[in-house]
Every structure is written in structure tokens, then in C-alpha cells.
Amino acid sequence: MAVDIKHTYQGDLKLDLIAPNGTAFNLWNRTGGGTDNIIQTFTVNASAVPAVGTWKLRVNDNAAQDVGKIDSWSLTF
């Protein structure tokens, strides 16, 4: 799974990959401090959940001082 998220303080962000059955896989949990952006590839062992269906990327910005955007994300099985 690849993400390209533009944000001025990656330590504010929490990222979860949500499987079609509702299982959440945490990718990022408010780490990285004041570094800009999350442009990264993650490996997720999702073998225990069905691959068929709609997968979602959930991003929470846990601070009010700045904003960001999801430029892109992709999921490859």
C-alpha cells in the first residue's frame, strides 16, 4: 500500500487501512514529529480478511493548527 499525504506536521496524523469487513490496520500513529508529508509504502498482512470489497484509507488529523490533503493512495494485492 502506498500513500502520498501532504501535511506540514506528520506527527499530527493517524492512518488506518480499513478492510471491507471493518478490520482496521494501523499504518501510522502520530509519529514523525514536525517532519512534512507522509510519502511511503507500507506492507500489511491482511491475509486473515477477505480481499473482495471496498477498502478505505482513514486519516485523522489530531491537531487544529494546520491542514493537509491526500494526494494519492493505492493498494496492491
Side-chain angles (χ1 to χ4, degrees):
M1 131 141 257
V3 299
D4 182 350
I5 298 174
K6 302 298 194 255
H7 195 279
T8 57
Y9 199 92
Q10 63 181 225
D12 292 345
L13 302 178
K14 182 178 179 205
L15 280 63
D16 295 305
L17 176 64
I18 310 299
N21 69 356
T23 301
F25 298 93
N26 182 253
L27 305 173
W28 192 273
N29 195 2
R30 301 185 77 173
T31 58
T35 305
D36 289 356
N37 309 324
I38 301 174
I39 302 169
Q40 188 168 334
T41 300
F42 298 92
T43 300
V44 177
N45 181 358
S47 61
V49 298
V52 176
T54 302
W55 289 76
K56 299 175 183 178
L57 178 64
R58 177 174 60 200
V59 181
N60 294 329
D61 186 346
N62 295 287
Q65 287 78 16
D66 45 17
V67 296
K69 66 178 184 169
I70 300 171
D71 269 353
S72 65
W73 74 282
S74 63
L75 182 61
T76 304
F77 289 94

